[in-house]
Amino acid sequence: MQQEQTITLRPPDKKDGAAVWELISSAGTLDLNSAYCYLMFCNLFQDTCVIAEEKGQTVGFVSAFFPPDRENSLFVWQVAVDPEVRGRGLGKAMLNELLSRHGAQRIVFMEATVSPSNEASRRLFQSVAAAHSCPLEVIHEEGYPAGLFPSGHTHEDEPLLRIGPFHKNNT
Ligand SMILES: CC(=O)NCC[C@H](N)C(=O)O
């Protein structure tokens, strides 16, 4: 029987930036940012990012941060999972890693933008909301409608999803 491989989760550092760029480039479902962006993010936002590794390979990544004007909301920028390890709950495990790393007192809401075609990502956030018995709101006007993107740069709407409050006693 094939031994279930273990995937480990940890905060990133700048040495992870290149592998993250490769992962997102090959995943094909996300906006690929510059390699510099991923080196910088892995370096400066370590406490709100997660690297997933299996057999020394980077198989998952979550980038997130606390927007300065909404310090109790964790904005999840990208969730990337290597197609080879999809279906094993890695996306949810990485988001739960961030929730447990910071606790519900710090993270009252979790936010993200998810394009309509990214059904896997939408299901992931619905699953996190259900697991924490939290409402999930879709707020189009607080996201990034397709019309905001440069002309000639076709991009889907990016409606904002908001999960929470994670604890009834903090709103
Ligand atoms: C949660 C998530 O992965 N959103 C993606 C937003 C956007 N399309 C991007 O790839 O940065």
Side-chain angles (χ1 to χ4, degrees), residues 84-165:
E84 294 294 312
V85 301
R86 283 188 185 146
R88 292 167 56 182
L90 180 55
K92 191 171 179 181
M94 293 190 288
L95 293 178
N96 281 333
E97 154 73 11
L98 288 177
L99 288 169
S100 57
R101 195 188 290 175
H102 292 279
Q105 298 315 315
R106 180 74 166 92
I107 302 175
V108 177
F109 294 97
M110 178 181 279
E111 299 179 344
T113 67
V114 177
S115 301
S117 66
N118 198 339
E119 289 167 14
S121 191
R122 175 70 70 96
R123 283 197 303 273
L124 166 62
F125 286 98
Q126 286 168 339
S127 166
V128 170
H132 293 269
S133 308
C134 281
L136 181 152
E137 269 187 280
V138 182
I139 312 161
H140 288 268
E141 61 277 7
E142 289 188 35
Y144 307 114
L148 291 180
F149 291 86
S151 57
H153 181 111
T154 48
H155 199 291
E156 286 185 86
D157 286 335
E158 290 270 1
L160 182 79
L161 308 186
R162 178 175 292 139
I163 301 173

Side-chain angles (χ1 to χ4, degrees), residues 12-14 17 20 35-49 61-66 75 77-78:
D13 66 32
K14 59 188 174 184
V20 170
Y36 175 89
C37 173
Y38 293 111
L39 268 73
M40 178 270 294
F41 219 81
C42 287
N43 183 35
L44 301 182
F45 291 85
Q46 293 178 327
D47 67 341
T48 52
C49 292
F61 176 68
V62 168
S63 54
F65 61 96
F66 293 101
F75 181 82
W77 181 359
Q78 293 188 315

